[in-house]
Amino acid sequence: MQFVLASHNQKKLAELSVILNGLGIEILPLPEQAPEPEENGTTFEENARIKAKSAADFTGLPAIADDSGLCVDALDGAPGIYSARYCAGTDQDRNAFLLQNMQGQENRTCRFVCAAACVLPDGETITVRGECEGELLCESRGAGGFGYDPLFYVPSHGCTFGELPGEVKNEISHRGRALRKLREALELRMQDTGFENG
C-alpha cells in the first residue's frame, strides 16, 4: 500500500519509512510538480492537515504531513508556527534573532512541538501531536541537527539537540514521538476496518 509524504525532505522520508516499517506501507516522496499549499492555519495541527490534504488531492493517495516548531514560554509561545520564518535569512540568523528577543528573560523553558496528520482515502483525517520539553540556552552548542537544535537543551540528556547523536534525537524528539503515535493510530485503523488506495 502506498502513502505519499507531503514533503520533499529526504531525511523525513527515511525517518517515516523506518517508523512505519512492518505496516505494509510504502512511503513515496511528494512529486516535484505538486503545488505548495498556503499554510494559513493558526495551529500546528491545522497546518499539518492543510499540507496532507493538498498532497492527497494532488496524488490521489493517502497522505502524511507534519508541521513543527519551537514554543518559548517567555515569548508567549513564539516563534511557534512561524518558527521556520521567524525572520529572514539562515538558521543562524533566526537563532540570533531569538536570543535577541530573549535578552533579560530568566524563564528559559520551551518545547519543540510537532503535529502529524494523515488524510485517508475515505476522507478521514488522523491528527496526532508530539512534544519534547527543554530549556533555551544563551548560546549555541553542537553542530548537529538544524534550525534551533543548537539552542535547545534537554536536561534529561545533559546536552542540546545539536549535540545529540541522530538516533538518540529521533528517539526523544517531538517529530519521533508524533510519528510513533501516528503509527499506533494507523495500526488501530487497519485492525478495525482496513483501508485500501482508491
Side-chain angles (χ1 to χ4, degrees), residues 78-155:
I81 61 172
Y82 304 106
S83 291
R85 48 193 190 276
Y86 194 39
C87 74
T90 65
D91 285 348
Q92 290 78 12
D93 294 328
R94 281 182 282 279
N95 285 343
F97 184 61
L98 177 59
L99 290 180
Q100 177 184 329
N101 290 338
M102 283 294 291
Q103 285 183 0
Q105 295 286 355
E106 293 185 8
N107 180 8
R108 313 295 289 192
T109 57
C110 58
R111 66 205 48 80
F112 269 123
V113 176
C114 175
C118 178
V119 173
L120 299 173
D122 62 3
E124 179 185 352
T125 301
I126 298 170
T127 309
V128 295
R129 183 182 180 101
E131 297 187 7
C132 183
E133 297 287 333
E135 299 172 4
L136 195 71
L137 296 184
C138 295
E139 59 183 12
S140 295
R141 279 175 35 185
F146 58 92
Y148 302 101
D149 285 359
L151 293 176
F152 187 79
Y153 179 79
V154 187

Side-chain angles (χ1 to χ4, degrees), residues 1-3 23-25 62 118-124 126 184-198:
M1 182 174 182
Q2 294 181 329
F3 278 55
L23 289 183
I25 291 174
C118 178
V119 173
L120 299 173
D122 62 3
E124 179 185 352
I126 298 170
E184 293 172 3
L186 287 173
E187 282 181 316
L188 287 174
R189 178 68 160 74
M190 294 170 79
Q191 290 170 5
D192 289 345
T193 60
F195 48 80
E196 298 177 357
N197 290 349

